[in-house]
Amino acid sequence: MSDKDLKRPKSHLFDNPKNVTRVIRGLLLLCLVLVVLDAVIHRHTAHPWEKVFAFYPMYGFVACVTLVLLAKGLRKLVMRSDDYYGRFEEPPEDGPASRSDDV
Amino acid sequence: MSALDHLPILVVLIPLLTAVICPLFQNGRTAWKLALGAAWSSFAIACMLLHQVLNSGTVRYQLGGWEPPWGIEYRIDVLGGFVLLIVTSIAALVLSYARRSVEDEIRPGRISFFYAAFLLAFSGLAGITVTGDAFNLFVFLEISSLSSYALISAGRDRRSLNAAFQYLIMGSIGATFILIGIGFLYMMTGTLNMDDLAVRLPEVADTRTVRAGFAFLTVGFGLKLALFPLHLWLPNAYAYAPSVVTAFLAATATKVAVYALLRFLLGIFGVGFSLMSMPFDMILIGLGLAGILSASLVAVFQQNVKRMLAYSSVAQIGYIALGIGLASHTGISAAVMHLFNHALMKGALFMSLGAVAYRVGAMHISDFAGLGRRMPFTMAAIAIAGLSLIGIPGTAGFISKWFLVLGTLEQGWWPLAVLILLGSFLALIYVGRILEAAYFGTPKENSAVREAPLSMLIPIWILVIANVYFGLNTELTVGLATQATTDLFEALP
Amino acid sequence: MMFNFAPVLPLLIGAFFAALTRGRVRALLMLATPVVGAVLLYTFTPGTTVPVEWMGLELTPVRVDRLSLLFGYLFHLAAFLGVIYSLHLKDTLQLVASLAYAACAVGAVFAGDLLTLFLYWEALAVTSAALVFARRSERAFAAGLRYLLIQVLSGVLLLAGAIAWAKGGHGLEFGHIGTGSIAGKLIFVAFGIKAGFPLLHNWLTDAYPEATPSGTVFLSAFTTKVAIYSLARGFGGTEMLVYIGAAMACFPIFYAVIANDLRRVLAYSLINQLGFMVVGIGIGTELAINGAVAHAFNDVLFKGLLMMSMGAVLHVTGEMRGSELGGLYKRMPKTAILCMVGAASISAFPLFNGFVSKSMIVTAVLEEGYEWVWLALLFAAAGVFHHAGIKIPFFAFFSHDSKHVKQAHEPPTNMLVAMTIAAALCIGIGCFPGTLYRLLPYPTGYSPYDSSHVLAQMQLLAFSALAFLSLKIYKIYPPELRSVNLDAEWIYRRLVPNAFRHALAAVGRVGNQVRSHSFRLVSSSILALARHHRSEGVLARSWPTGSMVLWVAVLLGTTLLLYYL
């Protein structure tokens, strides 16, 4: 991928919106297949909750949404401006941070 | 009898006789060579003696073949051998270092006499550690004291005369007290032999005479070892004496006085009497603590570096007194270890100061500015020995402080441990002041200060390396100190 | 005598020579060092101890058993990868500090007694702080100081605990300790600081993002793993650890979602991974301990890989804030792919190494019936994928194109080589877990690959990704913002200083008076002290002989009185 890309600078993988859509669709398909497999494969379970149909998919989804919503709320509580603890001389923003690294 | 059997007397006799010969040579260089030879041979003998003591127990030697208790007996146990090793090794190193410094600080015509006095002081100190006779001990104490008055007065600074005079007065009072004390003991027991005294004393321990003798002895030795508040002669004596003398006396004289005190406390009176039934332990702890804190504080504010370290010596003696005052095996071992370790660090420090005096000529803290670059080896020596003085792990100073803290914790007196650490903290400050000046101060312009000559640096660095070596390898010091203490405890019921 | 310090020696000697040599010679030496060290470890037999007596203490500088050997190999491996990664550096301070740091970590895991452990523990603090200072910015300096302070505090607690433990008659041997005694509690907190327990974790998220690119790679491998090792040895089966671990696994992921500095995100996710290990140690069954130790092993690999990839980005662009990065896959495709391997590993995708160890811990949790903890760990597992698995690669390499895309390029070859080896190991262990299992302290018949496990994990991960996708599409996902997020460090960086200031200000004029009075009191007492102790003070001046003699008389009188009483 890389060599070709470097020669034709504008055609990167995700510059083409179609590719993004493909990825999204792929993921949706995967999710669907996994839920269906839940019904097909007999899983041996150690805990009653695991027997609930599509327990893991639901838990994963709900957990992540909760996580993000809570984190957004947390931001209201704990977010401060960049120089809250005092201003520091910033490492150079552009170009390689070679000063520290290649001394 | 072979020559080997005469070692106990030889270790004293060699420097004593050399001292007599020295003034015959007008040439200071020859006198120095003689003194050096005498010191190193005494050191060799001390090593052999210690070896003998460790292998076959206490060495006894009857002077002139007279049986004790009539004749004078020389008697070397582990403690005596250990302190003798300290004295002879420091003397040998200081003398190796002395030539340039003495030529610089002493008037040419008097150099031979100077070495003679030095050897006298040395033989007196060595004698104290080998003798088993109370009166003989007093005699040696006087020999060493009288010659050290002369040594101190040889200093360049005119104030040294005054300092020596004060030391003379105080030292004489101390010696008189000791003599009175010994006299009282003799009155009650009729013997001067230490072993004999130890056997006969318990019968008469409850008499007022013995108690008065004990008081005179403790105060007398307190003066000699510069126990706070009897230390007032010491700072000036150390500050204005010639560098070589300061290095030698600081590393040995007070140590030997501590040895003599220990010998009387534990070897003659016994722990039960001196530290249990008499309240001397509390006196030692109280005065020791006061010494540690007060003298360290004074050192923090001092501007003259030599005086600063002299006060630090008073503080270090406070640690030793504290260790003895704990009256436990650990405490006394810590005190004995500190004898050795303090000799190592103060020897190195004062010898380095002598090197600075040789090159710079002055001792004010501002004179040290920028010396870190001008005299890197000397200042590095001061830095390492200073770390040892503070008690940083990995140096000799840490070991004795560690055991001292252990000793206080053993008794459950943790506030004492905290105060000891506070003392270390104060040491950190005053050592830090020297190092700050040396490494961060800007040197005076147009000064052409160079590194000290090699003949000074080598002895200094031997001591510095010893500071680190004995901080890592504790077998010798800890082993000897604990064995010496065990012997002292077991010698008497 | 040589053998006493033998496991430490190769790395220590390497560090020594790294200070003396330069250029290609140094590169070769530094590469050879961990290899020689690892070969030396191979010659050790488990069960060996080397007792040494020092100052009357019975010490065991070296104790070899299966647990310490595993960590020994791990640290040599980590040092090897780190050395390759930093081959392009010329900064002697960093190179020496990293090898010395690795040496201390190795020393710590082979320490058989608490005193030796303490020595290495403090040495770890100092050598690792050097890696923060080596960034040589004002910010890094401040963070490094805070870091050092807390690390040293941990050491002091350990020493206090060790002394109390020895006083309690247990000797100095470092075996199971437990939280029953005061000593145990002190040591527990000391370990807890280094392991990043909640509220004690701030040094990690504060300092790791400020270190140099390769410095952070080393940092993430050693300090916390030494803590995990120590916890496993001293506090296996302590139930409190299960709950502490669960909290550690959960709370950092919230911060990770909103943190902007991507290496800070990784620091939070490091705590989260440590949480899993701590839970495993807390449960204390053979399976759980095996899981915790295996997870520590894997974490060094995948967290190292992620740190390396972020370090590469920092090295190339000089930027680490998610809000300022993006689109780099166009110029750094190899780095992007390697980063995604690390992301897949930390998220515990089947066939990647995170899966084979994390599932051990989760299984053990369920076996022992901690169902709420199990739920919390599932939540944490989903969250890991969310912030470390998706957020890191997404914001660094994809997302919107940043201004850095134009100048960006692949990092130096040595960085790519180090990352490739780490990635290969991640996949290798993921596919053949038996190799790792053989090294674990207890024999295990565990097999991670059965259909239930794989399916459950895939479902969890796929739907986490789905959640990310939908939140992103509906624009609910919080954007990356330049910001600082308050954490427990706020207590000592803001609350305490401010409270002090406010308390003084609030009392107002009265306060002012009190203050000036107290200042006057303090200064006057200092002055008094100085007056008595400075050169001409009463305690320091040269006294006339008469008064000296007076003192003698006083003392003689007092002693006589005391003796007669």
Side-chain angles (χ1 to χ4, degrees):
Chain A
M1 175 174 87
S2 61
D3 284 345
K4 280 177 209 160
D5 286 349
L6 283 175
K7 278 169 204 158
R8 286 176 289 130
K10 292 220 165 164
S11 63
H12 289 291
L13 187 59
F14 295 112
D15 284 347
N16 182 355
K18 261 192 197 165
N19 284 338
V20 179
T21 327
R22 269 181 206 150
V23 170
I24 295 174
R25 283 196 187 138
L27 178 65
L28 287 173
L29 186 68
L30 177 70
C31 288
L32 194 69
V33 169
L34 285 170
V35 173
V36 172
L37 277 180
D38 200 47
V40 177
I41 294 181
H42 170 72
R43 291 192 293 121
H44 50 94
T45 53
H47 196 275
W49 293 335
E50 283 186 282
K51 295 199 184 89
V52 178
F53 176 72
F55 167 75
Y56 282 103
M58 284 192 298
Y59 192 81
F61 189 84
V62 172
C64 282
V65 172
T66 324
L67 166 67
V68 171
L69 293 181
L70 282 178
K72 271 184 95 169
L74 186 68
R75 232 180 199 178
K76 289 202 184 89
L77 197 67
V78 301
M79 192 169 78
R80 296 292 183 275
S81 78
D82 227 359
D83 50 11
Y84 177 75
Y85 288 122
R87 229 170 246 290
F88 286 99
E89 162 217 3
E90 284 291 322
E93 285 196 19
D94 319 270
S98 47
R99 218 172 37 127
S100 62
D101 211 17
D102 296 326
V103 177
Chain B
M1 278 182 131
S2 73
L4 271 181
D5 297 324
H6 291 293
L7 288 181
I9 184 73
L10 280 179
V11 76
V12 185
L13 217 53
I14 290 177
L16 197 63
L17 292 180
T18 321
V20 178
I21 300 170
C22 265
L24 300 180
F25 296 92
Q26 279 303 308
N27 185 351
R29 193 67 65 90
T30 319
W32 173 68
K33 281 178 191 156
L34 281 173
L36 191 64
W40 279 103
S41 31
S42 291
F43 174 62
I45 295 174
C47 291
M48 285 190 260
L49 275 173
L50 187 62
H51 184 71
Q52 217 171 321
V53 171
L54 289 179
N55 279 343
S56 46
T58 305
V59 172
R60 290 166 188 279
Y61 176 85
Q62 278 111 40
L63 208 60
W66 290 84
E67 293 275 319
W70 298 284
I72 292 175
E73 184 193 37
Y74 281 13
R75 184 174 155 279
I76 303 166
D77 58 4
V78 179
L79 179 64
F82 190 42
V83 179
L84 181 66
L85 184 75
I86 299 175
V87 173
T88 50
S89 58
I90 296 287
L93 282 174
V94 168
L95 274 173
S96 319
Y97 151 101
R99 185 175 62 86
R100 301 286 283 263
S101 177
V102 168
E103 282 170 5
D104 184 46
E105 293 183 23
I106 310 291
R107 270 192 288 140
R110 294 176 60 179
I111 290 182
S112 310
F113 294 101
F114 177 83
Y115 283 119
F118 192 98
L119 284 175
L120 273 181
F122 169 44
S123 64
L125 294 175
I128 294 172
T129 60
V130 295
T131 188
D133 184 278
F135 184 74
N136 195 232
L137 186 143
F138 165 75
V139 172
F140 278 126
L141 197 63
E142 274 307 88
I143 293 180
S144 69
S145 302
L146 289 172
S147 45
S148 31
Y149 310 143
L151 285 173
I152 290 167
S153 67
R156 268 194 297 209
D157 195 313
R158 289 195 53 191
R159 280 172 289 186
S160 66
L161 276 179
N162 193 30
F165 175 71
Q166 282 193 326
Y167 184 22
L168 170 73
I169 305 268
M170 302 315 289
S172 304
I173 294 177
T176 316
F177 278 22
I178 293 169
L179 188 60
I180 294 173
I182 294 176
F184 280 168
L185 297 191
Y186 183 63
M187 211 165 95
M188 295 308 293
T189 59
T191 181
L192 286 170
N193 185 290
M194 292 184 183
D195 285 349
D196 237 20
L197 275 171
V199 175
R200 297 189 195 177
L201 261 181
E203 299 163 17
V204 289
D206 276 339
T207 56
R208 296 209 160 182
T209 323
V210 169
R211 291 186 177 198
F214 186 64
F216 275 103
L217 280 170
T218 47
V219 175
F221 282 119
L223 255 169
K224 286 284 178 193
L225 59 85
L227 184 66
F228 183 91
L230 305 177
H231 66 285
L232 296 164
W233 56 269
L234 182 141
N236 282 345
Y238 281 13
Y240 302 124
S243 312
V244 172
V245 176
T246 311
F248 179 62
L249 291 185
T252 57
T254 46
K255 311 294 162 308
V256 171
V258 171
Y259 161 80
L261 178 71
L262 273 178
R263 174 64 67 210
F264 271 88
L265 287 185
L266 305 180
I268 295 181
F269 287 102
V271 190
F273 177 78
S274 48
L275 296 178
M276 312 266 173
S277 64
M278 293 286 106
F280 190 53
D281 56 334
M282 284 301 150
I283 296 179
L284 277 176
I285 290 180
L287 295 183
L289 262 188
I292 294 172
L293 298 178
S294 161
S296 301
L297 264 176
V298 173
V300 167
F301 288 107
Q302 275 298 326
Q303 298 299 321
N304 179 323
V305 178
K306 225 169 154 189
R307 251 178 97 95
M308 175 194 285
L309 292 184
Y311 273 107
S312 138
S313 279
V314 177
Q316 302 299 317
I317 288 159
Y319 288 114
I320 296 174
L322 188 66
I324 301 174
L326 289 176
S328 65
H329 191 278
T330 319
I332 293 177
S333 316
V336 175
M337 265 175 247
H338 206 55
L339 285 186
F340 182 77
N341 294 335
H342 183 231
L344 289 183
M345 54 210 189
K346 270 295 151 54
L349 279 171
F350 276 118
M351 276 157 76
S352 310
L353 288 193
V356 173
Y358 183 69
R359 285 298 189 210
V360 182
M363 275 294 119
H364 196 270
I365 191 136
S366 62
D367 296 313
F368 279 68
L371 282 190
R373 249 160 290 155
R374 298 287 169 85
M375 307 179 70
F377 288 101
T378 311
M379 288 319 296
I382 291 185
I384 296 174
L387 292 182
S388 185
L389 187 65
I390 298 164
I392 304 285
T395 59
F398 170 72
I399 308 296
S400 31
K401 289 242 171 88
W402 170 259
F403 275 90
L404 197 57
V405 170
L406 275 189
T408 55
L409 293 181
E410 243 172 39
Q411 315 258 19
W413 293 337
W414 60 266
L416 279 187
V418 173
L419 289 174
I420 290 171
L421 295 183
L422 184 66
S424 277
F425 177 69
L426 290 173
L428 179 70
I429 298 179
Y430 58 73
V431 171
R433 281 184 60 212
I434 308 178
L435 298 184
E436 188 204 359
Y439 287 102
F440 299 107
T442 38
K444 288 177 182 162
E445 280 168 32
N446 69 36
S447 75
V449 174
R450 286 179 300 134
E451 182 54 88
L454 217 53
S455 69
M456 293 180 141
L457 281 181
I458 291 174
I460 292 174
W461 273 90
I462 290 177
L463 279 181
V464 168
I465 290 167
N467 262 306
V468 177
Y469 177 77
F470 289 113
L472 299 175
N473 184 353
T474 58
E475 243 168 76
L476 181 73
T477 41
V478 177
L480 280 178
T482 41
Q483 205 194 325
T485 316
T486 313
D487 287 357
L488 284 175
F489 271 77
E490 282 174 0
L492 288 163
Chain C
M1 196 65 196
M2 278 289 276
F3 186 81
N4 295 350
F5 305 101
V8 192
L9 270 185
L11 288 166
L12 215 52
I13 294 172
F16 181 70
F17 281 106
L20 297 182
T21 51
R22 296 287 181 274
R24 199 152 289 189
V25 181
R26 169 153 78 185
L28 278 176
L29 269 175
M30 291 190 62
L31 280 177
T33 302
V35 178
V36 173
V39 171
L40 186 72
L41 281 194
Y42 191 70
T43 63
F44 286 8
T45 24
T48 329
T49 54
V50 184
V52 162
E53 203 176 302
W54 184 75
M55 274 172 59
L57 300 171
E58 304 208 339
L59 302 184
T60 320
V62 175
R63 167 186 50 192
V64 184
D65 59 13
R66 287 183 67 90
L67 187 59
S68 51
L69 262 185
L70 173 69
F71 275 90
Y73 285 129
L74 173 62
F75 288 160
H76 281 88
L77 177 60
F80 184 63
L81 291 176
V83 164
I84 299 181
Y85 186 77
S86 44
L87 272 184
H88 64 284
L89 290 178
K90 295 188 181 67
D91 180 6
T92 305
L93 169 68
Q94 259 191 78
L95 295 175
V96 174
S98 5
L99 275 187
Y101 176 42
C104 297
V106 171
V109 296
F110 283 102
D113 65 90
L114 290 167
L115 199 64
T116 313
L117 181 71
F118 160 75
L119 290 179
Y120 285 119
W121 200 261
E122 291 290 35
L124 271 176
V126 176
T127 46
S128 58
L131 292 174
V132 184
F133 291 134
R135 182 84 177 274
R136 295 188 173 85
S137 73
E138 204 185 331
R139 225 182 139 85
F141 182 72
L145 275 188
R146 289 194 294 271
Y147 169 83
L148 189 59
L149 202 69
I150 297 176
Q151 296 291 307
V152 169
L153 176 73
S154 156
V156 171
L157 286 174
L158 174 58
L159 180 64
I163 291 173
W165 182 249
K167 280 268 156 197
H170 304 281
L172 276 172
E173 200 212 336
F174 179 27
H176 185 82
I177 294 172
T179 51
S181 58
I182 299 278
K185 291 191 175 77
L186 281 171
I187 299 175
F188 188 68
V189 175
F191 289 175
I193 290 179
K194 269 216 184 3
F197 281 7
L199 300 181
L200 305 177
H201 66 281
N202 278 108
W203 56 271
L204 207 161
T205 53
D206 187 18
Y208 280 19
E210 303 301 340
T212 63
S214 40
T216 311
V217 173
F218 278 96
L219 286 173
S220 69
F222 296 114
T223 300
T224 50
K225 303 308 173 297
V226 170
I228 291 299
Y229 159 83
S230 312
L231 280 173
R233 186 168 298 285
F235 296 96
T238 306
E239 197 185 5
M240 198 196 313
L241 283 176
V242 177
Y243 302 106
I244 292 178
M248 282 170 74
C250 289
F251 93 89
I253 55 182
F254 294 102
Y255 273 98
V257 168
I258 56 175
N260 190 16
D261 186 309
L262 292 183
R263 290 199 300 172
R264 183 158 287 128
V265 173
L266 286 179
Y268 276 113
S269 97
L270 175 56
I271 301 178
N272 153 282
Q273 297 299 314
L274 292 171
F276 281 91
M277 301 169 212
V278 171
V279 168
I281 294 168
I283 288 177
T285 56
E286 291 194 354
L287 178 63
I289 295 276
N290 270 346
V293 171
H295 203 52
F297 194 100
N298 289 333
D299 183 66
V300 167
L301 292 173
F302 56 63
K303 189 53 57 60
L305 176 54
L306 284 169
M307 282 293 187
M308 286 195 256
S309 63
M310 287 303 108
V313 170
L314 176 63
H315 176 76
V316 169
T317 64
E319 181 57 74
M320 200 69 290
R321 287 171 295 185
S323 54
E324 315 298 312
L325 287 170
L328 290 177
Y329 80 98
K330 297 176 180 170
R331 294 300 174 116
M332 311 174 71
K334 293 176 190 160
T335 315
I337 290 174
L338 291 167
C339 176
M340 285 192 285
V341 171
S345 302
I346 197 174
S347 317
F349 269 94
L351 298 184
F352 291 89
N353 63 351
F355 178 70
V356 304
S357 49
K358 198 181 276 183
S359 59
M360 285 172 102
I361 299 174
V362 175
T363 309
V365 168
L366 210 48
E367 271 179 7
E368 296 304 308
Y370 291 100
E371 56 186 33
W372 290 103
V373 174
W374 171 65
L375 282 182
L377 290 190
L378 278 188
F379 173 69
V384 175
F385 179 47
H386 210 89
H387 69 255
I390 305 179
K391 174 170 170 166
I392 292 282
F394 183 78
F395 284 106
F397 296 106
F398 304 102
S399 194
H400 59 84
D401 283 8
S402 66
K403 64 183 175 202
H404 296 292
V405 173
K406 275 181 202 151
Q407 293 115 19
H409 50 83
E410 287 287 3
T413 319
N414 62 305
M415 286 190 169
L416 285 175
V417 170
M419 289 192 271
T420 312
I421 297 177
L425 285 171
C426 283
I427 298 174
I429 293 179
C431 295
F432 307 101
T435 44
L436 174 61
Y437 289 169
R438 261 197 296 282
L439 290 173
L440 294 177
Y442 301 108
T444 176
Y446 184 77
S447 160
Y449 290 112
D450 64 27
S451 54
S452 324
H453 268 135
V454 175
L455 180 64
Q457 184 68 8
M458 284 307 292
Q459 288 172 337
L460 194 69
L461 294 177
F463 278 84
S464 301
L466 190 66
F468 179 81
L469 188 69
S470 27
L471 290 168
K472 200 73 195 161
I473 288 174
Y474 294 111
K475 303 210 184 299
I476 303 171
Y477 197 85
E480 291 292 295
L481 295 173
R482 283 184 172 206
S483 63
V484 165
N485 295 311
L486 304 186
D487 196 343
E489 65 188 10
W490 177 78
I491 295 171
Y492 58 82
R493 289 182 70 178
R494 255 305 155 89
L495 181 65
V496 175
N498 270 7
F500 191 68
R501 220 172 297 146
H502 282 295
L504 281 181
V507 191
R509 290 240 313 275
V510 186
N512 266 336
Q513 272 182 350
V514 171
R515 193 157 47 153
S516 64
H517 272 298
S518 49
F519 275 138
R520 213 172 303 147
L521 194 70
V522 169
S523 61
S524 65
S525 48
I526 288 179
L527 272 181
L529 214 58
R531 200 161 44 239
H532 291 117
H533 290 90
R534 67 161 178 252
S535 296
E536 290 319 308
V538 65
L539 282 163
R541 66 166 162 252
S542 309
W543 280 52
T545 320
S547 12
M548 290 191 194
V549 177
L550 186 70
W551 273 113
V552 178
V554 168
L555 206 69
L556 183 68
T558 323
T559 45
L560 272 175
L561 196 70
L562 283 174
Y563 294 164
Y564 280 164
L565 282 179

